[in-house]
Amino acid sequence: MAQIVVLPVTPGAPPFRLVEINGNVAGTAHDLPDLIELAYKAGLKHVDLDDPAQVRWVGGGKYKWA
């Protein structure tokens, strides 16, 4: 199971994606830098955003933010 799960885009101003880390809601991300910051705050120092063992993208890949 992936450590990070990025859920589908939620409409808003601006749109965002909820992020779960190790089964807990870590926060919202509006873009890749937000996601990396959430991972870092959760203690994950080296995250490969292309590795499905580390990150599961639900409802679109790493470039879908709107």
Side-chain angles (χ1 to χ4, degrees), residues 5-9 17 56-61:
V5 178
V6 184
L7 299 172
V9 175
R17 296 177 81 165
R56 182 165 62 104
W57 299 94
V58 180

Side-chain angles (χ1 to χ4, degrees), residues 3-4 21 35-36 38-40 43-51 54-55 57:
Q3 285 182 299
I4 300 172
I21 298 178
L35 174 60
I36 293 166
L38 288 171
Y40 185 81
L44 305 176
K45 305 299 182 216
H46 303 286
V47 177
D48 180 352
L49 299 175
D50 295 316
D51 182 355
Q54 289 189 325
V55 182
W57 299 94

